Amino acid sequence: MNVAGEDQSSQASKAHPDLIVRLRGLTKTYRQGAIEVPAVRGVDLDLARGEFTVLAGPSGSGKTTLLNMVGALDTPTAGTVEVDGQTLDQLSATQLAQMRLQRIGFVFQAYNLIPVLNAFENAEYVMLLQGKTAEMRQRVVSRVLAQVGLADLASRRPAELSGGQQQRVAVARAIASAPALVLADEPTANLDSKSATELIELMHTLNRTEGMTFLISSHDTKIIERARRVIWLEDGKIVSDSAK
Amino acid sequence: MIWRLAWRSVLRQRRRTLITVIAISLGLALILFSVGMQIDTHQTMIDLGVRMGSGHVAIQAEGYQQHRSLDYLLSGSRRLLAQLRQLSGVRRAIPRLEAAGLVRAGESSAAIAVVGVDPSEEQAVAGLARKSYRRRGRYLSADVRGNRPADIYIGSGLAQTLQVGVGDRVVLTVSPLDDRANSSAAFVVCGIFRTGVTELDSFLVQLPLSAAQQLLSVGDGLTQIAVLLEDGDSARATAARWQARFAAQHGTAMRREILPWQVTHAELYDGLKLDKNFNYLIAGIIFLIIAIGIFNTIQMSVVERTRQFGVMMALGTAPRRMFALVVAEATLIAIVGAIVGLAIGLALHGLMVRYGIDIETMSGGVDSYEFGGVALTGTLHSRLPVPIVALWAAIIVAITLLSGIYPALRATRLRPVSAMRHS
Amino acid sequence: MAQGLTKLAWRNLGRNRRRTLITASALAIGTALTIAVIGLIDGMHAQLIHTLTRLDLGHLQAHQRDYRRTRQLERTLPHPVEVRRALERDPRVVAVSPRVHGAALASSGRRSLGVSLFGVEPRSEIKITEFHQTIRKGRYLDDDPTPWPRGRALTAAEAVDDERLTQQAEDAAIAEIEGDSQSKTAATPARQTRRQQTQRLARAIAPPPKRPPRVLIGKTLARYLAVGIGEQLFVSTQAVDGTMTELAVEVIGIFESGTTAFDRTRVILHVGDLRRMLHLDGRIHELAAVLVDLDRADDVALSLAGTVGPDVAIASWGMIQPTIRHVQQQNAAGSLIIMLVIFAVAALGVVNTMLMAVFERKREIGVLKALGMTAGRIVRMFVAEATLLAFFSALAGALLGLLLDLYLHQHGINLSANGKTTTVMGIGMGLTLRAKVTAFGVLMPIFVLCAVTLLASLYPAWRAARLKPAQGMREV
């Protein structure tokens, strides 16, 4: 699986070698009873490798929906999603799972750690699914836990960690699998400002030192201020796209 | 990894797991207990039935089973007996001569079945001759002492009808083979038995074989040779094999019927089958209820973790892994439940083997329980062959796994986005 | 408040409909199957009792005091006419029929078999037993007995002959017993003559019937003796005075009752004929009666016993065959155990469900407690929920169980596949079980289910009541 996945990416990436995300005419409409509610309407967007992009906008502007479609968690009503050169149209549930597993790291608003696993095991989980060797997992997870500053708390279960610590474990989990893209949906929403600042710093450092691509949805001004590129979304449409 | 995750999830819901394990183990223990008791009861009844009756395999002249008449006598029985006793797998070969008769004492009479037996053989076989059935007197003695009347062994019901006791004389009238007039002879009651089966206690008498043969004018003729096998379970196969071998040796010149106990004791066989199937029915019901309980539990545990499962899927866990995880949890519960159930069931079995349940206590004062023509007396124990134990343990594990399949399938059908929104 | 509690409980159950339904279905299916099993067991008992009472005993019998114990021919019922009248007068009695029992050796050609002779009054017997409905070939008995001339007293000369023959016969019998015990009575010419003379005298005292008496025999007996309709059997039996009688009878009907012992050994004939054969004149052994209500047979027997004098014993079917009660008791205990196990397992499911509900609603319970709801009330809330769940599950289960029962009553279930009958405690029983619906058999499981569920809900309810308000509210 792993080998096959890399094959596909190297083939497909010939078309747009420097683009990690390429959206064209992306549209998502939810049905609520008889009424159709458009959440995302015709979004075109390109993200280059190594970018640190924030998707900003008010609640209900379609940030999370857009992020979910980029993350292969949700399927668009119309338009195409290309991630790391791979078009997501018409992939089966298993293939989508494979896509998420190999290319994408997630950080969720509500941490979403697996309660029965400790910090180390949570961070290790995706690598396990990827079929990495025990030796490699040990090495990588120790490193990423150290990077997020939790080397000492590796054996604690989520219930024994603070919110900020849990979210750092989530980041460790997201980056341990060396994804092409890390998606974070309102990662600081449930954190106090100190923890939030620390988390933002952590992500920037990872972006700088590891060259990891981040796409973060947020309306937290602290995040927006520090981003190199900010895309404003309103009513499911891009209203501005500014890079520093 | 799946196992570790499954194990921890199972342990995390300690109370629920415990309840499920109790349900599984209770069910298994109960089944093992009742199956063990049933096997022992059935084996005991079959054993008693064939010892008193026609053996595991009965050898008769062809037609005897259908007509029960002296017209169908086994010839060359002495050689046949000797041959049978040489065969491996044969524990005992028992000669029997059965006819109908009328027994009289004073002004009372009764119609009965007369069975001529080899007293020493019968005592070795311990059928009707067994000591626990004897109420009074002694068993038949083989030696015919001069002109004195021979012994007769009768049941308690008949003794009451005839108003006779040990040492009293009775006159037996039968239709012998050689002429149409009836023939009568006097016998002395040597002992009185009580089996609990009315058919035997009121309607059957035993005589020494030689006396019966003389009374019926059949020479050394027998109506049946009852064969006890070392392995009673092989009765059908053995009967078929012997029948084939006999046919090959003698062709159509001499016909014999070689019948397993399932045919000669059809009532017993069918009765036991009824009992067994009734138990299966109840086991099935109990298992069904257990299955619904397990299904409910697993289903709840999946629904409860919808969010967690959504996250796992979002992180790239393939649907078949989600399936495997839920099934793994069910497997762990099943195995723990099966182990606890086995422990309890086998402990109960051990107690039953050691102490047993007295029939009299169980049935509230009746000292024997007749079923299918055999009366069960004494103490019930338990018998559990390893394959049976393994079978039921496997069944309960399988049922648990099956109960986990639907919830597991549901887990694979979760959509990560909506699952994660679940609270 | 009680109504409010019920409404709250009802709404709470509706909150997680799938879970409620799964738990309810476990309870309902458990109830339904328990009802079906009890129905089958009751059906088996009903069948056993039916066989016992409607193929043999009737519901009630009157005998001479010692007859049932000894079954001796001479112990005939004292004052049969008065006893019969006493029985018939009682409004609880539907029908009464007289009977005579004897034993004989029946032979046909060279085949012979011990049989029991069952003398009945054909017209009244059909109200007691159902043998007439089981006739497979031929027909039932005639209403009137066989024409049979009365005997006459012996002349003086004949009396002398009789004395001489009796003496000779006694000598021969003593010689037979004392001497050569195995010899047969046939052969010698002297004996032959003596026998003929005796028979002539016997005919004068007891002449033979105009034609062979007509009898019904069982299917197995017919097979063993190889006789068919219209063919004759020879019956030799000992009369009440000790004389041996040999008589030809004609088979006019062959029955198949399903009870092996009856089909193999029973010969049914007119009570008048059997009385003549056994020299019983107007005497009978037994009066059998059928009652309005067979379950009250014991009471009827006891109340009648006082009215018929000390020589007469009146017994119900249950007194005559007490073993069937033991079978019943044992099976009742068995089904109770089965029921408890089924419901115990189902109750574990209830505990599980209720515990889930408690944990799900921790926050809500916390709020309720904070608002001042007492622990007792919280317990009652959960117990009410469980009771409601149990009640409706039991109702649905009872309905399903009734349907199952009705199906099993109509079609039966053969759990033995090949055979037709077996015996339990000596009573023939068909292997096809048919369910019998009784109020007890349906209501009992409902009651037990509700009780067990109620008990099972106490633990979760107690846990809910023990929650501290703050603790409950903190949890998400």
Side-chain angles (χ1 to χ4, degrees), chain C residues 176-193:
Chain C
E176 176 194 322
I177 290 167
E178 295 294 320
D180 178 9
S181 67
Q182 310 294 324
S183 80
K184 279 164 267 142
T185 35
T188 67
R191 269 189 183 172
Q192 208 81 336
T193 336

Side-chain angles (χ1 to χ4, degrees), chain A residues 68 73-75 94 97 100-101 106 108 110 112 114-118 121 124-126 128-129 157 173, chain B residues 1 4-5 8-9 12 307-308 310-322 415-417 420-421:
Chain A
N68 282 343
L73 287 171
D74 208 349
T75 48
T94 306
R100 297 193 291 268
L101 179 61
F106 286 98
F108 304 103
N112 283 339
I114 298 171
V116 293
L117 300 180
N118 64 27
E121 289 161 338
E124 185 191 20
Y125 181 78
V126 180
L128 261 167
L129 291 178
R157 295 237 178 142
R173 177 174 68 185
Chain B
M1 175 198 57
R4 185 169 42 163
L5 209 56
R8 290 208 190 148
S9 303
R12 188 156 189 254
R307 190 192 181 87
Q308 184 199 322
V311 174
M312 287 167 70
M313 293 187 92
L315 292 177
T317 313
R320 97 195 119 75
R321 287 221 168 171
M322 303 299 306
R415 306 291 301 271
V417 176
M420 282 192 295
R421 226 177 275 135

Side-chain angles (χ1 to χ4, degrees), chain B residues 66 169 199 267 277 370 372, chain C residues 177 260 264 415 423 425-426:
Chain B
Q66 178 78 6
R169 285 184 185 199
E199 282 268 300
E267 246 178 38
N277 287 339
E370 190 273 344
Chain C
I177 290 167
T260 328
R264 196 181 60 220
L415 287 173
T423 63
M425 293 288 190

Side-chain angles (χ1 to χ4, degrees), chain C residues 60-259:
Chain C
L60 194 82
Q61 295 194 329
H63 298 108
Q64 190 271 344
R65 187 161 35 86
D66 296 321
Y67 180 75
R68 274 209 293 125
R69 193 167 51 78
T70 66
R71 303 202 75 88
Q72 285 172 307
L73 283 185
E74 72 268 25
R75 301 199 191 270
T76 51
L77 183 71
H79 340 292
V81 179
E82 289 79 4
V83 176
R84 184 172 184 172
R85 202 172 299 142
L87 289 180
E88 280 172 344
R89 255 204 316 266
D90 194 296
R92 294 167 297 184
V93 174
V94 175
V96 183
S97 186
R99 292 160 168 189
V100 170
H101 294 282
L105 194 62
S107 41
S108 158
R110 279 157 61 173
R111 303 175 176 200
S112 62
L113 216 61
V115 296
S116 63
L117 300 173
F118 189 39
V120 300
E121 188 180 87
R123 214 170 340 174
S124 55
E125 185 62 31
I126 58 172
K127 294 176 192 152
I128 309 291
T129 56
E130 292 169 347
F131 271 107
H132 61 286
Q133 289 173 7
T134 66
I135 291 174
R136 296 282 168 267
K137 270 190 221 157
R139 61 185 179 86
Y140 187 56
L141 299 172
D142 304 313
D143 281 352
D144 298 316
T146 309
W148 204 324
R150 293 253 148 224
R152 59 176 171 80
L154 295 180
T155 63
E158 280 170 339
V160 173
D161 268 359
D162 181 41
E163 200 123 311
R164 179 179 53 83
L165 285 166
T166 309
Q167 188 57 51
Q168 281 173 0
E170 270 173 17
D171 291 348
I174 289 165
E176 176 194 322
I177 290 167
E178 295 294 320
D180 178 9
S181 67
Q182 310 294 324
S183 80
K184 279 164 267 142
T185 35
T188 67
R191 269 189 183 172
Q192 208 81 336
T193 336
R194 208 161 62 220
R195 196 169 164 168
Q196 280 163 9
Q197 288 172 337
T198 312
Q199 256 162 21
R200 208 172 47 236
L201 286 177
R203 272 191 195 152
I205 305 167
K210 296 276 191 212
R211 56 171 165 77
R214 293 165 175 166
V215 301
L216 309 175
I217 64 172
K219 199 181 158 205
T220 317
L221 184 64
R223 196 179 75 214
Y224 285 169
L225 295 178
V227 290
I229 302 294
E231 294 181 334
Q232 292 193 354
L233 288 180
F234 284 90
V235 172
S236 43
T237 181
Q238 189 176 29
V240 70
D241 48 22
T243 56
M244 286 299 294
T245 326
E246 266 186 64
L247 192 71
V249 296
E250 182 196 341
V251 176
I252 60 161
I254 293 173
F255 61 81
E256 185 181 9
S257 68
T259 297

Side-chain angles (χ1 to χ4, degrees), chain C residues 45 114 118 139 189 208 229-230 286 289 320 322 333 374 389 401 436 444 464:
Chain C
H45 293 153
F118 189 39
R139 61 185 179 86
I229 302 294
E286 170 175 301
I320 295 170
T374 60
L389 181 68
K436 185 190 176 198
M444 175 79 165

Side-chain angles (χ1 to χ4, degrees), chain C residues 319-387:
Chain C
M319 299 167 174
I320 295 170
Q321 188 67 274
T323 46
I324 199 157
R325 296 247 165 100
H326 292 292
V327 176
Q328 232 168 346
Q329 278 162 12
Q330 207 176 323
N331 282 338
S335 48
L336 192 72
I337 291 173
I338 292 164
M339 187 160 61
L340 283 177
V341 169
I342 290 178
F343 287 152
V345 174
L348 288 175
V350 175
V351 173
N352 244 342
T353 312
M354 301 294 296
L355 275 178
M356 289 245 351
V358 171
F359 289 112
E360 258 176 17
R361 280 188 253 151
K362 263 187 182 173
R363 192 192 177 83
E364 184 186 321
I365 296 163
V367 173
L368 287 173
K369 282 201 120 175
L371 292 177
M373 200 175 196
T374 60
R377 211 169 252 180
I378 286 172
V379 167
R380 260 181 293 161
M381 186 174 80
F382 278 94
V383 170
E385 226 173 291
T387 310

